[in-house]
Amino acid sequence: MDGRGATSAVAPTLRWMSGSPGDGITTEPALAGAALALGARDVPGWSDAETALARVAEPPPGGVAALRAAVAAGDDPLGAAFCRLRGPERRRPDGATYTPRPIVDAMVGWAGRRPAPQRVVDPGAGSGRFAVAAGRRFPRAGIVAVERDPLAALVCRGHLAAAGLAGRSRVVADDYRTADLGRADGATLYLGNPPYVRHHQIAPVWKEWLALAARSHGLEASGLAGLHVHFFLATAGRLRPGDAGAFITSSEWLDTNYGRLVRDLLLGPLGGRAIHVVDPTATPFEDAAVTAAITCFAVAEPPRPPAAMRLRRVEDVAGLGDLEGGREVDADVLRGARRWTPLTRAPRAVPPDHVELGELCRVHRGAVTGRNATWVVRAGEADLPEDVLFPAVTRAREIFDAGRTLSSTAHLRLVVDLPAELDVLAPEDRRRVERFLRDARRAGAHDGYIARTRRAWWSVGLRRPAPILATYMARRPPAFTRNAAGARHINIAHGLYPRTELPEPVLARLVESLRRTASVQDGRTYAGGLTKFEPREMERLTVPDPFLAAG
């Protein structure tokens, strides 16, 4: 989960770094060896699992001089290597999404305007990006980084040591919810990116912990809460007067029933100060499609509930600036609101029984193939395994013709979407794929701009099926259809993805309302009469609240 932008000196890229000296680290033992060579042993708190990794560590290729220089320059070569060795699919079950530097800078910048803490705690530290940045910003503060993954914890130690912070740092290789962080005589700053793990992957024992811990604050918890909610609650249980913090997470808790716990905590023991939401169409994280919210909190002395909170929405990471601004929303208004996302926008004339589409759904344009002649085929046209061929809406006419419901994919063409790592294919399937790719290369499919910017030029990267599909450019209002057939879509269409699960009757009412009320006046019209709806513009369409309809 993430956010963005700090100062004008920050480069516009969202990547932590490119051309990292850690690119030569191609195995996990070599990564462990690099962390050790940078001084990981000097950071206390070692676990048995880390000790076992150290026994099989290998010397890093090329030594560590370049790695040390990169850390001194503010980069994170070990974290970049970790993310490369463990791709998004492998990290996703642990919720390990590493935070881009501009977001770290913005959050540390906010903390820097407060009284200096005696201690900084980085929950779910990963490679220690927040821990290192805060350690540099607060030269007298002790650093506690909490990380459960043994290799990430070892990497974090190496990062802290290379940054010259070993003498006042400790890495706790444990679960943040119950980890022993020790005591601090002064104020603690909690700063980080709690892991995003959906409730399906959270063990029952931890759901019981959530319910009991919430009850200790006089609050109720839902078993549907994601792991980031657990981290907010664990932090609330540790806070003392004068403590403060900023977390970047998925923004789902602003509107969901399970997020009520976080909202209540912010209006109570967490002492919420501000929430900065990055527009849903922005992509603050390189390897995770998520709407990000940065939440700032501070416990007053003496403790008291906040009278108001500042809420703000920014269009992109650069708009985060120094996490200032936003409009004050009275605490009583927040307590009475069913959803908080609408309160992050400037007031506009929306009827009380209407909502903006963006409050219900994220709108995402389909994948860009880069060369439809290669990647869009008809059934039987390409000798490829069936599991890399996806029926997809590839022409706007298919949405117009579908009417209210797209109920079949039999008439649709197929998009070839190959895995980025071809070695996951069975031997015979891989041979068929490689024959296809030889032909694609001869046709120049590898050399276009889109192909060159992909991680693997042959991997289109289709999104999952969207429950609702929409056209976005025509000489008529956009068409909307319920995607009952589960078709994928490319960039001639938008996919509407509910922010929370919507019952079928609600989806049906939403489609009907969109088909009835969307107008060309809501988009932007170009010469020749074409009207275009960017995702953000479509999200601003207002419709009758489908939850209020009878039946």
Side-chain angles (χ1 to χ4, degrees), residues 15-358:
R15 296 177 61 87
W16 187 266
M17 62 183 301
S18 60
S20 167
D23 287 351
I25 299 173
T26 58
T27 66
E28 292 190 4
L31 179 58
L36 293 169
L38 288 172
R41 288 189 176 88
D42 297 333
V43 181
W46 275 65
S47 64
D48 291 343
E50 290 173 273
T51 301
L53 286 175
R55 292 195 190 102
V56 297
E58 300 171 353
V64 295
L67 297 173
R68 199 177 298 279
V71 172
D75 289 327
D76 178 23
L78 297 188
F82 181 93
C83 291
R84 189 179 62 257
L85 292 172
R86 294 188 180 178
E89 293 298 328
R90 185 173 175 190
R91 284 183 278 116
R92 191 163 294 125
D94 295 325
T97 301
Y98 281 36
T99 312
R101 181 174 178 174
I103 298 173
V104 175
D105 289 346
M107 294 167 65
V108 173
W110 172 84
R113 295 191 302 276
R114 299 188 51 77
Q118 190 216 29
R119 179 178 69 166
V120 175
V121 172
D122 179 354
S127 60
R129 293 178 176 182
F130 284 100
V132 169
R136 286 169 166 154
R137 184 66 179 252
F138 304 109
R140 297 181 182 277
I143 308 297
V144 180
V146 186
E147 176 51 56
R148 189 174 61 176
D149 182 280
L151 181 60
L154 188 58
V155 163
C156 183
R157 296 181 198 280
H159 192 186
L160 287 163
L165 301 173
R168 53 190 175 99
S169 297
R170 179 164 63 100
V171 174
V172 178
D174 203 350
D175 191 297
Y176 174 69
R177 288 168 288 192
T178 54
D180 182 3
L181 306 185
R183 293 186 58 83
D185 296 329
T188 295
L189 171 68
Y190 295 86
L191 203 64
N193 175 2
Y196 178 66
V197 176
R198 297 184 69 84
H199 74 92
H200 312 84
Q201 297 168 286
I202 297 176
V205 65
W206 285 116
K207 294 188 177 186
E208 293 173 12
W209 172 88
L210 184 75
L212 291 172
R215 209 166 297 151
S216 70
H217 293 283
L219 301 173
E220 294 297 320
S222 167
L224 302 180
L227 187 56
H228 54 298
V229 175
H230 293 225
F231 273 55
F232 274 111
L233 182 57
T235 302
R238 292 184 165 102
L239 288 176
R240 299 167 59 190
D243 290 351
F247 287 164
I248 181 161
T249 67
S250 160
S251 67
E252 289 180 2
W253 60 265
L254 289 166
D255 302 317
T256 58
N257 288 333
Y258 77 69
R260 183 77 199 185
L261 175 57
V262 179
R263 302 195 293 273
D264 287 342
L265 289 171
L266 288 171
L267 294 171
L270 273 176
R273 295 297 180 92
I275 300 170
H276 305 269
V277 175
V278 182
D279 195 280
T281 57
T283 53
F285 290 94
E286 182 184 356
D287 56 8
V290 63
T291 302
I294 297 177
T295 305
C296 304
F297 51 91
V299 182
E301 297 185 80
R304 59 186 179 275
M309 290 177 59
R310 285 187 298 105
L311 272 61
R312 182 173 67 131
R313 172 179 290 255
V314 298
E315 291 190 355
D316 52 33
V317 170
L320 286 171
D322 54 5
L323 297 187
E324 287 293 318
R327 65 189 188 98
E328 282 208 347
V329 180
D330 189 89
D332 288 338
V333 173
L334 292 168
R335 288 189 186 93
R338 186 159 58 100
R339 303 187 188 104
W340 282 12
T341 291
L343 301 176
T344 65
R345 302 186 185 93
R348 56 177 297 196
V350 176
D353 59 345
H354 282 55
V355 295
E356 288 191 352
L357 176 60

